[in-house]
Amino acid sequence: MGGDDSGVASDNFDWNTEDELEIENYQSSCLTVPNGDAVTGSGDASSSAVLANSKVLDHFVGMGFSREMVSKVIQEYGEENEAKLLEELLTYTALESSPPPQTLIVTDPSSSGNAGSSWDDFSDTDIFSDEDMEKNISDSENDDTLRTLVKMGYKQEEALIAIERLGPNSSLDELVDFIGVAQIAKAEDALLPPEEKLQYNGYAKSNKRRFYECEVLGRKKPRGCEKKIINDDDEEALHLPNPMIGFGVPTESNFITLRRLPEDAIGPPYFYYENVALAPKGVWQTISRFLYDVEPEFVDSKFFCAAARKRGYIHNLPIQNRFPLLPLPPRTIHEAFPLTRKWWPSWDPRTKLNCLQTCIGSAKLTERIRKAVENYEGDPPDHAQKYVLDQCRKWNLVWVGRNKVAPLEPDEVETLLGFPRNHTRGGGISRTDRYKSLGNSFQIDTVAYHLSVLKEMYPNGINLLSLFSGIGGAEVALHRLGIPLKNVVSVEKSEVNRNIVRSWWEQTNQKGHLYDMEDVRELDADRLEQLMNTFGGFDLIVGGSPCNNLAGSNRVSRDGLEGKESSLFFDYFRILDLVKNMMSKCR
DNA sequence: TCGATTATGATTAACAGG
DNA sequence: CCTGTTAATCATAATCGA
């Protein structure tokens, strides 16, 4: 039974209480940045003539600012610094809109003054506080979000970043969540002992109670399903499964997993999101919260092929009656590369490769390894073995000759990942870029297994929106499943990658249409509507947003979801949400 | 300028042993 | 429970040569 050390609030800090309280307060008013109504910029295009073709201008107009105002600001500050521009735009907007009557009761986080009213029994009930409040009650539409956030005690800079990332139409509690997570990411632990940090984290988590429900029929029950609901700390709701088999893999699933999706997550469209499993703390909580509180499915591709690939997938697909691609790929190093067997030392126990990354081991390193092992009659001493094994694991080296290790060739990586041979070869791509593109891609068998449920649902094919397409992992997976591709909108920044997908599309005699696009940020509501009108909606939206700032290999800029590239996740969410809304309207 | 080559740790989670 | 250890990790940036 719960209890544990959660103490009876005696002299506990009431982080929880207070935070919950604030959240509820914030939540009770759904504020939006002034948009829409400001668009009517009196059509005066005189000043914007020069900038008629500016991407930046379109960007901000797309966010809901008037063309007139945007061009004014751009002329004044240039279009280099978008953050600065946004700041100015928000300031101008705030000045223009008459200061609204402050209907909010904003409690100062540092004072517990007025916490005594109707909220004080929260500490008792807060675990059951699912009453999920009719949100958006006092819809004071003209309130300025930025102003409100600042009044709440957030720094203007933080608020601006949040608004920029989430877009002007995001709800206030999304913004607050974002800032909270950002703060935690930055906060040094100095002030907060672990437990309180967790609770603080939990604050940022959600008012809307996350509801993961999973049930296992058959053998094992995942520990504490119902316990979680009672004892619930939102904390450990996200843990990596061990073994990392998600909701099941073809090779070792002797039990069936059922899940119930949150209402908001149910399609159409179906969506499928992917990123690295070993992201910094809190990242997957945030991603999950944005993607309609769907529980991530963490899967290691080592259960599908000969290389590990620990990834998290968030999707709203059915998970029953999945089937794997055939033929099943080799699942050990020896099966995948039989020629290595002859040279494989008995003291190298590896049977699986580690994650295929974007860079390979250097020649110097393989030379050092050769020198470390070649001067011994029998097996090298322990320290040499350890050194060699560590490096081989780190750089995924295989034995290709006596005392000789080497990194994988690009076509070997292609094979391991499930792509057709030479998929990334030729057509103007360098070897270095090949490694990079492959290292950033899906493992086809893994993804195809998840997408296989679509086959019987769409015998006539699907319309696919593929964001961050890369070298077309989603397209290849669906094609190999035998699911016809009717219309594919593929958004990918890298030109060589777009060429690869285009080339594959033509080589495989696709009957459908492939639409290219370069930047997800240019995919706005208008563009989507235009596309969807031509072929009517999307059946599936796939995307693995950039992992640069999440991946452990990044020593320089592992900045989390706010990172320069990885923050494009919010564009995945933005676009998914747009399509979702458009499609629910059209029904 | 492009492509190839090389060196560059920190963050977590799992694990082992008290 | 605690603490130290092991292990894995969709990368960036500087440099060099053609």
Side-chain angles (χ1 to χ4, degrees):
Chain A
M1 304 306 209
D4 284 3
D5 45 15
S6 60
V8 193
S10 55
D11 47 15
N12 248 353
F13 289 93
D14 41 6
W15 284 100
N16 246 352
T17 312
E18 222 170 273
D19 293 338
E20 287 274 356
L21 190 157
E22 284 167 24
I23 287 222
E24 301 300 345
N25 269 343
Y26 299 167
Q27 185 190 20
S28 63
S29 77
C30 173
L31 306 182
T32 52
V33 151
N35 62 339
D37 48 358
V39 173
T40 60
S42 74
D44 171 17
S46 61
S47 60
S48 64
V50 193
L51 300 156
N53 291 327
S54 163
K55 274 185 192 173
V56 180
L57 184 135
D58 289 339
H59 173 67
F60 285 115
V61 172
M63 289 173 71
F65 296 103
S66 78
R67 184 167 285 269
E68 186 189 25
M69 184 185 296
V70 177
S71 23
K72 198 186 294 177
V73 175
I74 288 182
Q75 287 191 337
E76 192 165 350
Y77 295 95
E79 49 183 8
E80 260 59 53
N81 189 343
E82 290 195 21
K84 176 68 177 170
L85 289 177
L86 182 63
E87 188 181 345
E88 291 303 319
L89 284 169
L90 286 165
T91 309
Y92 282 15
T93 313
L95 289 179
E96 269 193 7
S97 62
S98 59
Q102 186 58 273
T103 59
L104 280 183
I105 304 168
V106 179
T107 58
D108 185 328
S110 61
S111 83
S112 54
N114 47 2
S117 51
S118 57
W119 308 95
D120 49 4
D121 48 354
F122 252 65
S123 49
D124 301 330
T125 61
D126 78 290
I127 32 177
F128 300 114
S129 65
D130 285 34
E131 52 261 16
D132 202 7
M133 326 291 296
E134 18 5 326
K135 32 187 203 175
N136 316 346
I137 329 170
S138 75
D139 223 355
S140 37
E141 291 183 313
N142 290 326
D143 280 0
D144 179 83
T145 305
L146 176 63
R147 185 192 309 271
T148 309
L149 286 168
V150 172
K151 272 221 161 126
M152 287 172 179
Y154 296 110
K155 288 189 220 151
Q156 180 168 347
E157 187 185 72
E158 293 171 330
L160 282 166
I161 290 173
I163 292 171
E164 187 193 25
R165 293 300 186 215
L166 306 192
N169 293 322
S170 47
S171 73
L172 193 61
D173 68 22
E174 281 169 356
L175 291 165
V176 169
D177 274 354
F178 181 91
I179 298 174
V181 170
Q183 285 175 337
I184 286 158
K186 282 183 186 165
E188 296 302 327
D189 313 4
L191 297 177
L192 296 176
E195 295 86 2
E196 268 133 32
K197 196 179 159 202
L198 295 187
Q199 303 222 342
Y200 189 57
N201 206 348
Y203 133 75
K205 199 144 277 172
S206 75
N207 35 18
K208 189 171 49 174
R209 180 67 48 172
R210 175 192 311 112
F211 209 55
Y212 295 166
E213 187 167 333
C214 62
E215 222 176 74
V216 172
L217 300 182
R219 304 288 270 299
K220 319 174 183 178
K221 279 203 161 191
R223 320 179 296 116
C225 253
E226 51 284 284
K227 196 173 165 191
K228 248 177 222 161
I229 295 173
I230 298 172
N231 190 13
D232 186 9
D233 28 343
D234 312 87
E235 238 345 271
E236 50 164 11
L238 279 190
H239 63 280
L240 300 175
N242 191 9
M244 197 181 279
I245 56 174
F247 301 140
V249 293
T251 47
E252 20 206 290
S253 75
N254 40 8
F255 58 90
I256 306 168
T257 306
L258 295 181
R259 70 165 173 175
R260 202 186 72 185
L261 286 168
E263 282 295 325
D264 292 344
I266 296 172
Y270 286 112
F271 68 90
Y272 188 81
Y273 174 81
E274 178 260 10
N275 216 320
V276 291
L278 279 58
K281 275 182 177 173
V283 166
W284 275 106
Q285 279 91 339
T286 306
I287 292 176
S288 169
R289 199 165 55 239
F290 274 89
L291 298 182
Y292 315 103
D293 283 336
V294 176
E295 177 185 7
E297 175 170 17
F298 293 106
V299 182
D300 189 338
S301 292
K302 76 179 181 185
F303 298 105
F304 290 83
C305 66
R309 205 168 186 79
K310 297 177 181 62
R311 296 295 181 269
Y313 306 88
I314 293 189
H315 60 85
N316 61 350
L317 293 160
I319 58 176
Q320 287 175 292
N321 299 320
R322 292 165 161 182
F323 59 89
L325 281 181
L326 297 177
L328 294 177
R331 286 180 42 234
T332 66
I333 299 176
H334 288 342
E335 287 171 18
F337 307 112
L339 295 181
T340 64
R341 186 191 297 260
K342 179 176 180 184
W343 309 108
W344 209 271
S346 60
W347 45 269
D348 182 346
R350 292 176 297 156
T351 60
K352 303 271 188 186
L353 292 166
N354 278 336
C355 185
L356 306 169
Q357 305 201 114
T358 58
C359 297
I360 61 171
S362 68
K364 297 270 190 196
L365 175 62
T366 62
E367 186 185 10
R368 286 196 291 268
I369 288 176
R370 180 173 53 81
K371 286 177 176 167
V373 294
E374 71 182 353
N375 288 328
Y376 303 100
E377 225 12 79
D379 290 350
D382 285 351
H383 65 87
Q385 286 187 20
K386 169 136 176 60
Y387 166 73
V388 172
L389 279 177
D390 283 349
Q391 295 302 312
C392 284
R393 288 195 170 103
K394 185 170 186 176
W395 292 102
N396 260 335
L397 304 173
V398 295
W399 297 92
V400 296
R402 180 174 169 75
N403 299 329
K404 213 167 68 170
V405 293
L408 296 174
E409 291 296 312
D411 61 320
E412 294 172 326
V413 180
E414 271 170 359
T415 306
L416 283 168
L417 289 177
F419 285 93
R421 186 66 65 95
N422 292 334
H423 181 72
T424 60
R425 189 180 186 186
I429 187 173
S430 72
R431 184 182 162 91
T432 309
D433 277 348
R434 243 181 121 182
Y435 279 116
K436 188 170 180 182
S437 293
L438 285 164
N440 283 309
S441 178
F442 289 167
Q443 206 288 324
I444 298 295
D445 299 273
T446 311
V447 172
Y449 184 64
H450 297 156
L451 299 179
S452 64
V453 295
L454 294 170
K455 183 163 184 177
E456 70 168 7
M457 304 170 60
Y458 297 95
N460 297 320
I462 65 170
N463 292 330
L464 171 68
L465 175 54
S466 173
L467 305 175
F468 315 103
S469 302
I471 57 177
E475 290 85 342
V476 172
L478 290 164
H479 178 66
R480 285 194 57 190
L481 283 165
I483 299 175
L485 298 171
K486 294 195 292 192
N487 296 282
V488 175
V489 177
S490 168
V491 190
E492 168 59 36
K493 193 153 188 66
S494 156
E495 185 184 355
V496 286
N497 285 348
R498 287 200 303 276
N499 290 337
I500 287 170
V501 174
R502 172 69 65 184
S503 163
W504 170 84
W505 186 267
E506 286 160 4
Q507 280 176 30
T508 49
N509 297 316
Q510 298 290 333
K511 306 296 182 204
H513 293 97
L514 175 63
Y515 303 86
D516 274 343
M517 202 170 300
E518 185 175 342
D519 194 341
V520 288
R521 287 172 295 191
E522 291 176 6
L523 189 51
D524 55 13
D526 290 341
R527 198 67 198 272
L528 280 169
E529 195 172 352
Q530 177 190 339
L531 285 164
M532 290 168 71
N533 281 338
T534 66
F535 48 77
F538 291 104
D539 302 303
L540 176 65
I541 300 181
V542 181
S545 63
C547 65
N548 294 14
N549 312 115
L550 309 178
S553 304
N554 190 339
R555 294 136 145 97
V556 181
S557 52
R558 196 184 186 189
D559 303 326
L561 262 192
E562 318 152 79
K564 190 165 179 291
E565 285 84 19
S566 293
S567 57
L568 288 173
F569 158 75
F570 296 107
D571 282 275
Y572 179 87
F573 164 73
R574 175 181 62 81
I575 292 167
L576 170 60
D577 207 47
L578 273 174
V579 174
K580 220 167 156 44
N581 288 329
M582 292 166 74
M583 292 194 58
S584 60
K585 248 178 225 168
C586 294
R587 271 191 309 150

